[in-house]
Amino acid sequence: MAQNVNLKNEYVKFIDEYQKLGHMVRVFNEQDCKYYLPHQAVIREGSTTTKLRVVFNASAKTSNGRSLNDVMYTGPKLQRDIFDIILKWRLWKFVVTADVEKMFRQIKVHKEDQQYQNILWRNDSKKPLTVFRLNTVTYGTASAPFLAVRSLFKIAEDCNEELIKKVIEENFYMDDLMTGADSVEECSEIKQKIEQHLTKFGFHLRKWLTNNSSILKDNVLQASEENYMINSDEAVKTLGLKWDPKRDEFKFDIDLKENQKITKRQILSNLALYSIHLGGYLQ
């Protein structure tokens, strides 16, 4: 970090916010610490919000050769396949998308289990290392996806309105909401009601986008000025599927190599690359 001041500043800012929001607390009795999570920065240039995110590695082996993820139950898969969600989403005439801000970190981990989520940190190399404990669901742990989706399902169970309950259960892919309706009025109503219900439980929906700007008349964000990236388990693989709300079209980003001399081999290579990208969505 000493070689990259900007990286250090962003990293310190991220950790400070983590502590300020109460998502981690300082540990004074290190005897209670059962596991330490290594952490590092991941830079996301395409992000419309935070460019830098600190990720925690619960797959790091301990002295006995096992990691926290090795001994942690992952829980069953609760969410539907992203292809099914996108296909259903394209059937509506009017659609909206949004995501839950800091979804994992809005869910508290049981106190007895927090002792497995410790980190070492200092914002200055001249200072001694300090131990902090993460007390919310942590990105990078094997059970995080299940815990997040199960919490979402619990929120749906506590909803009295059947339509909104169904939207929460069926139109989320992790923290991404993809829903819609066949009229502007119904789509606007769904948007407002689901936003109100999730807010009651600490799940704040943000980055709203739509193919009809009147649906988001109460939001500052202008849907026509952004492309929405649809991700599938961002930690593992990015689908790279972009949606242009203004044109209501999907886009594919393909990095084709440009050569001054065009050969048959180069053409076949580019065709194969395109087929790989497109094939992922057709499976």
Side-chain angles (χ1 to χ4, degrees):
M1 286 191 181
Q3 297 175 357
N4 191 330
V5 177
N6 290 332
L7 174 65
K8 179 184 176 181
N9 291 338
E10 288 298 314
Y11 209 110
V12 170
K13 181 180 176 182
F14 187 99
I15 296 292
D16 285 349
E17 182 200 48
Y18 223 103
Q19 187 177 8
K20 183 179 179 180
L21 293 175
H23 298 161
M24 76 176 191
V25 294
R26 186 172 177 180
V27 176
F28 294 96
N29 184 7
E30 296 179 24
Q31 298 298 320
D32 295 335
C33 299
K34 305 295 184 184
Y35 186 82
Y36 288 88
L37 294 162
H39 48 94
Q40 66 182 59
V42 171
I43 309 297
R44 301 175 298 162
E45 295 296 343
S47 174
T48 57
T49 50
T50 308
K51 300 294 182 186
L52 178 144
R53 177 174 18 188
V54 176
V55 296
F56 303 92
N57 183 13
S59 295
K61 304 293 183 182
T62 62
S63 55
N64 64 12
R66 305 179 79 186
S67 69
L68 178 61
N69 280 346
D70 288 337
V71 298
M72 180 182 284
Y73 286 119
T74 58
K77 180 184 175 182
L78 298 178
Q79 61 192 9
R80 303 171 66 186
D81 290 336
I82 190 169
F83 182 81
D84 295 338
I85 295 174
I86 292 176
L87 190 62
K88 178 183 177 182
W89 185 64
R90 296 308 297 162
L91 296 177
W92 287 305
K93 186 175 182 180
F94 303 100
V95 293
V96 291
T97 67
D99 73 25
V100 180
E101 183 178 12
K102 299 179 177 65
M103 183 180 187
F104 288 2
R105 287 162 55 184
Q106 309 308 321
I107 308 164
K108 209 155 198 177
V109 171
H110 194 282
K111 196 159 188 176
E112 290 182 5
D113 296 322
Q114 292 176 16
Q115 59 190 335
Y116 295 95
Q117 297 190 155
N118 303 287
I119 67 167
L120 297 174
W121 172 248
R122 62 183 176 192
N123 54 22
D124 190 329
S125 60
K126 297 177 182 178
K127 295 180 181 179
L129 285 170
T130 306
V131 180
F132 288 94
R133 178 164 297 167
L134 312 181
N135 52 30
T136 61
V137 171
T138 299
Y139 189 82
T141 55
S143 63
F146 166 76
L147 293 174
V149 177
R150 181 63 187 89
S151 298
L152 200 60
F153 278 21
K154 175 57 181 171
I155 291 174
E157 290 173 15
D158 293 340
C159 182
N160 296 324
E161 192 158 346
E162 198 61 35
L163 175 60
I164 302 305
K165 178 180 179 180
K166 189 175 181 181
V167 168
I168 296 174
E169 290 177 341
E170 299 181 2
N171 298 346
F172 266 96
Y173 187 82
M174 287 305 298
D175 59 345
D176 289 321
L177 170 66
M178 303 177 67
T179 191
D182 290 325
S183 71
V184 172
E185 293 75 21
E186 186 181 1
C187 196
S188 298
E189 184 180 2
I190 290 173
K191 183 260 176 190
Q192 291 170 6
K193 287 185 176 180
I194 196 169
E195 189 172 28
Q196 290 170 2
H197 185 68
L198 290 180
T199 299
K200 290 193 298 185
F201 295 87
F203 278 11
H204 171 63
L205 287 168
R206 61 174 184 171
K207 294 196 286 188
W208 285 97
L209 294 175
T210 181
N211 59 354
N212 188 297
S213 58
S214 61
I215 296 172
L216 299 182
K217 58 186 177 183
D218 57 335
N219 288 71
V220 177
L221 183 63
Q222 295 297 316
S224 60
E225 295 179 0
E226 286 193 46
N227 287 342
Y228 178 72
M229 178 73 79
I230 299 168
N231 293 330
S232 173
D233 196 355
E234 193 171 333
V236 180
K237 182 180 71 173
T238 301
L239 284 180
L241 180 60
K242 284 186 176 180
W243 172 57
D244 183 342
K246 188 175 182 179
R247 297 185 177 183
D248 199 9
E249 295 176 346
F250 282 146
K251 296 180 177 180
F252 296 86
D253 281 346
I254 300 173
D255 184 18
L256 296 178
K257 298 177 181 178
E258 294 185 6
N259 292 324
Q260 291 183 347
K261 184 179 179 181
I262 299 175
T263 64
K264 197 179 291 184
R265 181 187 295 273
Q266 187 62 47
I267 292 172
L268 291 173
S269 175
N270 287 341
L271 282 173
L273 180 63
Y274 178 79
S275 299
I276 290 171
H277 277 265
L278 185 60
Y281 306 107
L282 300 180
Q283 288 180 355

